[in-house]
Amino acid sequence: MTSILLEVKNLRKEFGGVIAVKDCSFNVKENQIIALIGPNGAGKTTMFNMITGYIQPTKGKIIYQEKEITRYAPQKRVKIGFSRTFQQVKIFQNMTILENMLVAMKNNEVPWATIFSPQKVKVQEEENTAKAKELLKMVKLEGKENKLAKNLSYGQQKLLEIVRAVAVECTLLLLDEPAAGVNLTMLKTIKELLLTLKKKGLTILFIEHNMEFVMDIADTVVVMDYGEEIAVGTPKEIRKNKRVIEAYLGT
């Protein structure tokens, strides 16, 4: 049986008199791909920001690997296995592709280590470089390691951002609209990448508006509307759900 990695329990977020998220609950199972969908203004990004620690919930709990992490700061969540991307690509434009990858590596040594154990640092750098190149090969960026990131196409920058997030050695990968703004060829590449990462043992939670992409790739779909989760199920179940149809198409 697949165990639960992340539990969202009655999360609520109020901004003054506005309730952005209203007592939402859902689970994220290990080694699955979970999509978080809903119309604009449904509360998806607010939910994502609470899960990743960028904003604190008004009430409710977040449980990760059976431990409450509701008040953990974003950097602490990274240390326990979280990694995320944002709607806007946030790579280092004036650094090379390889440098972008190496910055994300968990095993970067502190500066003073070069004084006491330069050989250890050299070995670590070689291991990090090899790992970075392996990840870049997954997205067909091998051989371009020394190219500046700003010279990549938008789709390639998205791919770089995803594999850089993976380089953190995460357990839970959170992607904010990974399919937005890319062409059909790149969409297929992103889909293949996420399925490959799942096969390697990662759990993926992502926000997306491209319903065809969601239905092709997700094991579970969580639907939000007006700050509430209105449906949780398989893509097949969600397609037939009357509340979901009403939320997207109106009554």
Side-chain angles (χ1 to χ4, degrees):
M1 182 180 290
T2 305
S3 60
I4 295 172
L5 181 68
L6 178 77
E7 298 175 71
V8 172
K9 293 187 173 184
N10 300 312
L11 271 197
R12 185 182 186 93
K13 183 60 183 179
E14 299 175 5
F15 295 101
V18 177
I19 303 174
V21 173
K22 188 187 299 181
D23 307 323
C24 278
S25 299
F26 61 88
N27 296 330
V28 173
K29 292 183 178 180
E30 283 185 335
N31 198 210
Q32 286 200 349
I33 299 177
I34 293 86
L36 183 61
I37 69 171
N40 289 330
K44 303 182 300 296
T45 299
T46 301
M47 173 62 73
F48 227 56
N49 286 335
M50 287 192 288
I51 290 173
T52 53
Y54 283 84
I55 60 176
Q56 292 295 319
T58 305
K59 73 171 187 176
K61 293 181 180 181
I62 301 169
I63 311 294
Y64 182 70
Q65 295 180 328
E66 300 183 347
K67 182 176 182 179
E68 185 177 352
I69 62 163
T70 311
R71 302 299 168 186
Y72 279 24
Q75 60 269 28
K76 190 170 183 179
R77 298 186 199 215
V78 171
K79 289 181 179 179
I80 62 172
F82 282 47
S83 187
R84 78 167 286 183
T85 65
F86 295 83
Q87 287 182 15
Q88 301 297 321
V89 175
K90 292 184 180 292
I91 59 176
F92 297 104
Q93 298 284 341
N94 291 312
M95 293 173 67
T96 67
I97 294 170
L98 181 58
E99 287 169 342
N100 265 275
M101 294 296 293
L102 295 177
V103 163
M105 298 290 184
K106 263 190 175 179
N107 295 323
N108 283 324
E109 294 283 352
V110 291
W112 54 262
T114 58
I115 300 173
F116 300 103
S117 184
Q119 184 58 36
K120 181 181 177 182
V121 172
K122 183 179 178 182
V123 170
Q124 188 63 70
E125 287 177 346
E126 290 173 351
E127 290 178 356
N128 285 350
T129 299
K131 179 184 173 184
K133 288 182 177 180
E134 182 181 343
L135 288 168
L136 290 172
K137 189 174 182 179
M138 290 174 61
V139 291
K140 300 179 176 62
L141 289 177
E142 73 273 21
K144 300 180 181 180
E145 294 88 354
N146 295 320
K147 187 175 183 179
L148 289 179
K150 68 181 179 181
N151 293 328
L152 294 174
S153 69
Y154 178 72
Q156 288 175 321
Q157 289 187 17
K158 280 220 162 191
L159 290 171
L160 174 59
E161 185 170 46
I162 294 171
V163 291
R164 189 181 65 170
V166 174
V168 176
E169 297 182 10
C170 60
T171 306
L172 177 62
L173 179 63
L174 300 110
L175 307 174
D176 198 345
E177 298 191 24
V182 300
N183 60 38
L184 291 176
T185 300
M186 191 58 66
L187 200 63
K188 182 180 177 182
T189 301
I190 293 173
K191 176 183 172 181
E192 291 171 351
L193 172 61
L194 299 190
L195 290 172
T196 298
L197 293 174
K198 178 189 171 183
K199 286 180 182 178
K200 290 179 176 290
L202 272 183
T203 303
I204 302 169
L205 173 63
F206 72 101
I207 295 175
E208 190 50 66
H209 286 286
N210 186 320
M211 289 301 99
E212 185 176 351
F213 180 84
V214 167
M215 297 305 175
D216 278 350
I217 199 172
D219 297 298
T220 301
V221 181
V222 179
V223 187
M224 293 184 67
D225 190 31
Y226 292 107
E228 298 180 89
E229 93 281 357
I230 61 171
V232 179
T234 65
K236 185 177 180 180
E237 291 168 340
I238 294 301
R239 284 181 191 274
K240 299 177 181 179
N241 188 289
K242 290 183 179 180
R243 287 197 68 187
V244 175
I245 295 169
E246 288 174 1
Y248 276 95
L249 301 177
T251 54

PDB file of all heavy atoms in Angstrom, residues 181-194:
ATOM      1  N   GLY A 181       2.973  28.150 -21.051  1.00  0.00           N
ATOM      2  CA  GLY A 181       3.739  28.938 -22.006  1.00  0.00           C
ATOM      3  C   GLY A 181       4.700  28.175 -22.883  1.00  0.00           C
ATOM      4  O   GLY A 181       5.529  28.791 -23.557  1.00  0.00           O
ATOM      5  N   VAL A 182       4.617  26.839 -22.913  1.00  0.00           N
ATOM      6  CA  VAL A 182       5.553  26.075 -23.745  1.00  0.00           C
ATOM      7  C   VAL A 182       4.823  25.453 -24.928  1.00  0.00           C
ATOM      8  O   VAL A 182       3.611  25.234 -24.889  1.00  0.00           O
ATOM      9  CB  VAL A 182       6.271  24.973 -22.924  1.00  0.00           C
ATOM     10  CG1 VAL A 182       7.047  25.590 -21.781  1.00  0.00           C
ATOM     11  CG2 VAL A 182       5.282  23.939 -22.388  1.00  0.00           C
ATOM     12  N   ASN A 183       5.586  25.145 -25.988  1.00  0.00           N
ATOM     13  CA  ASN A 183       4.970  24.563 -27.182  1.00  0.00           C
ATOM     14  C   ASN A 183       4.704  23.070 -26.977  1.00  0.00           C
ATOM     15  O   ASN A 183       5.096  22.485 -25.963  1.00  0.00           O
ATOM     16  CB  ASN A 183       5.838  24.808 -28.425  1.00  0.00           C
ATOM     17  CG  ASN A 183       7.229  24.198 -28.287  1.00  0.00           C
ATOM     18  OD1 ASN A 183       7.395  23.120 -27.743  1.00  0.00           O
ATOM     19  ND2 ASN A 183       8.234  24.896 -28.803  1.00  0.00           N
ATOM     20  N   LEU A 184       4.032  22.450 -27.938  1.00  0.00           N
ATOM     21  CA  LEU A 184       3.621  21.051 -27.793  1.00  0.00           C
ATOM     22  C   LEU A 184       4.803  20.104 -27.667  1.00  0.00           C
ATOM     23  O   LEU A 184       4.755  19.127 -26.915  1.00  0.00           O
ATOM     24  CB  LEU A 184       2.744  20.647 -28.982  1.00  0.00           C
ATOM     25  CG  LEU A 184       1.360  21.299 -29.043  1.00  0.00           C
ATOM     26  CD1 LEU A 184       0.629  20.895 -30.319  1.00  0.00           C
ATOM     27  CD2 LEU A 184       0.530  20.913 -27.823  1.00  0.00           C
ATOM     28  N   THR A 185       5.887  20.385 -28.395  1.00  0.00           N
ATOM     29  CA  THR A 185       7.069  19.528 -28.318  1.00  0.00           C
ATOM     30  C   THR A 185       7.673  19.581 -26.929  1.00  0.00           C
ATOM     31  O   THR A 185       8.018  18.543 -26.335  1.00  0.00           O
ATOM     32  CB  THR A 185       8.122  19.956 -29.358  1.00  0.00           C
ATOM     33  OG1 THR A 185       7.552  19.855 -30.663  1.00  0.00           O
ATOM     34  CG2 THR A 185       9.363  19.080 -29.278  1.00  0.00           C
ATOM     35  N   MET A 186       7.789  20.794 -26.381  1.00  0.00           N
ATOM     36  CA  MET A 186       8.353  20.955 -25.041  1.00  0.00           C
ATOM     37  C   MET A 186       7.410  20.379 -23.992  1.00  0.00           C
ATOM     38  O   MET A 186       7.849  19.832 -22.976  1.00  0.00           O
ATOM     39  CB  MET A 186       8.630  22.433 -24.764  1.00  0.00           C
ATOM     40  CG  MET A 186       9.449  22.686 -23.513  1.00  0.00           C
ATOM     41  SD  MET A 186      11.062  21.859 -23.516  1.00  0.00           S
ATOM     42  CE  MET A 186      11.879  22.733 -24.859  1.00  0.00           C
ATOM     43  N   LEU A 187       6.115  20.492 -24.237  1.00  0.00           N
ATOM     44  CA  LEU A 187       5.122  19.930 -23.324  1.00  0.00           C
ATOM     45  C   LEU A 187       5.322  18.426 -23.188  1.00  0.00           C
ATOM     46  O   LEU A 187       5.270  17.865 -22.083  1.00  0.00           O
ATOM     47  CB  LEU A 187       3.719  20.236 -23.846  1.00  0.00           C
ATOM     48  CG  LEU A 187       2.561  20.177 -22.862  1.00  0.00           C
ATOM     49  CD1 LEU A 187       2.715  21.229 -21.772  1.00  0.00           C
ATOM     50  CD2 LEU A 187       1.242  20.374 -23.594  1.00  0.00           C
ATOM     51  N   LYS A 188       5.568  17.757 -24.310  1.00  0.00           N
ATOM     52  CA  LYS A 188       5.811  16.322 -24.304  1.00  0.00           C
ATOM     53  C   LYS A 188       7.085  15.996 -23.530  1.00  0.00           C
ATOM     54  O   LYS A 188       7.133  15.023 -22.766  1.00  0.00           O
ATOM     55  CB  LYS A 188       5.924  15.812 -25.745  1.00  0.00           C
ATOM     56  CG  LYS A 188       6.134  14.309 -25.839  1.00  0.00           C
ATOM     57  CD  LYS A 188       6.249  13.865 -27.295  1.00  0.00           C
ATOM     58  CE  LYS A 188       6.526  12.368 -27.371  1.00  0.00           C
ATOM     59  NZ  LYS A 188       6.696  11.908 -28.784  1.00  0.00           N
ATOM     60  N   THR A 189       8.115  16.822 -23.703  1.00  0.00           N
ATOM     61  CA  THR A 189       9.382  16.600 -22.998  1.00  0.00           C
ATOM     62  C   THR A 189       9.196  16.744 -21.492  1.00  0.00           C
ATOM     63  O   THR A 189       9.730  15.949 -20.704  1.00  0.00           O
ATOM     64  CB  THR A 189      10.448  17.605 -23.488  1.00  0.00           C
ATOM     65  OG1 THR A 189      10.631  17.447 -24.896  1.00  0.00           O
ATOM     66  CG2 THR A 189      11.780  17.374 -22.791  1.00  0.00           C
ATOM     67  N   ILE A 190       8.436  17.751 -21.068  1.00  0.00           N
ATOM     68  CA  ILE A 190       8.180  17.956 -19.641  1.00  0.00           C
ATOM     69  C   ILE A 190       7.381  16.786 -19.068  1.00  0.00           C
ATOM     70  O   ILE A 190       7.668  16.290 -17.973  1.00  0.00           O
ATOM     71  CB  ILE A 190       7.449  19.291 -19.401  1.00  0.00           C
ATOM     72  CG1 ILE A 190       8.374  20.465 -19.756  1.00  0.00           C
ATOM     73  CG2 ILE A 190       6.988  19.412 -17.945  1.00  0.00           C
ATOM     74  CD1 ILE A 190       7.691  21.820 -19.723  1.00  0.00           C
ATOM     75  N   LYS A 191       6.399  16.339 -19.816  1.00  0.00           N
ATOM     76  CA  LYS A 191       5.598  15.188 -19.392  1.00  0.00           C
ATOM     77  C   LYS A 191       6.492  13.964 -19.202  1.00  0.00           C
ATOM     78  O   LYS A 191       6.416  13.271 -18.164  1.00  0.00           O
ATOM     79  CB  LYS A 191       4.521  14.897 -20.434  1.00  0.00           C
ATOM     80  CG  LYS A 191       3.696  13.654 -20.147  1.00  0.00           C
ATOM     81  CD  LYS A 191       2.690  13.395 -21.267  1.00  0.00           C
ATOM     82  CE  LYS A 191       1.988  12.061 -21.093  1.00  0.00           C
ATOM     83  NZ  LYS A 191       1.031  11.780 -22.194  1.00  0.00           N
ATOM     84  N   GLU A 192       7.347  13.675 -20.164  1.00  0.00           N
ATOM     85  CA  GLU A 192       8.249  12.527 -20.074  1.00  0.00           C
ATOM     86  C   GLU A 192       9.202  12.664 -18.894  1.00  0.00           C
ATOM     87  O   GLU A 192       9.507  11.683 -18.207  1.00  0.00           O
ATOM     88  CB  GLU A 192       9.030  12.376 -21.380  1.00  0.00           C
ATOM     89  CG  GLU A 192       8.161  11.941 -22.560  1.00  0.00           C
ATOM     90  CD  GLU A 192       8.898  11.997 -23.885  1.00  0.00           C
ATOM     91  OE1 GLU A 192      10.030  12.543 -23.928  1.00  0.00           O
ATOM     92  OE2 GLU A 192       8.339  11.511 -24.892  1.00  0.00           O
ATOM     93  N   LEU A 193       9.668  13.895 -18.649  1.00  0.00           N
ATOM     94  CA  LEU A 193      10.576  14.134 -17.530  1.00  0.00           C
ATOM     95  C   LEU A 193       9.898  13.823 -16.202  1.00  0.00           C
ATOM     96  O   LEU A 193      10.463  13.137 -15.350  1.00  0.00           O
ATOM     97  CB  LEU A 193      11.054  15.592 -17.547  1.00  0.00           C
ATOM     98  CG  LEU A 193      11.856  16.056 -16.318  1.00  0.00           C
ATOM     99  CD1 LEU A 193      13.140  15.243 -16.171  1.00  0.00           C
ATOM    100  CD2 LEU A 193      12.164  17.548 -16.423  1.00  0.00           C
ATOM    101  N   LEU A 194       8.680  14.313 -16.018  1.00  0.00           N
ATOM    102  CA  LEU A 194       7.979  14.090 -14.752  1.00  0.00           C
ATOM    103  C   LEU A 194       7.685  12.618 -14.530  1.00  0.00           C
ATOM    104  O   LEU A 194       7.804  12.110 -13.407  1.00  0.00           O
ATOM    105  CB  LEU A 194       6.692  14.916 -14.701  1.00  0.00           C
ATOM    106  CG  LEU A 194       6.849  16.441 -14.780  1.00  0.00           C
ATOM    107  CD1 LEU A 194       5.518  17.123 -14.474  1.00  0.00           C
ATOM    108  CD2 LEU A 194       7.932  16.948 -13.847  1.00  0.00           C
TER     109      LEU A 194
END
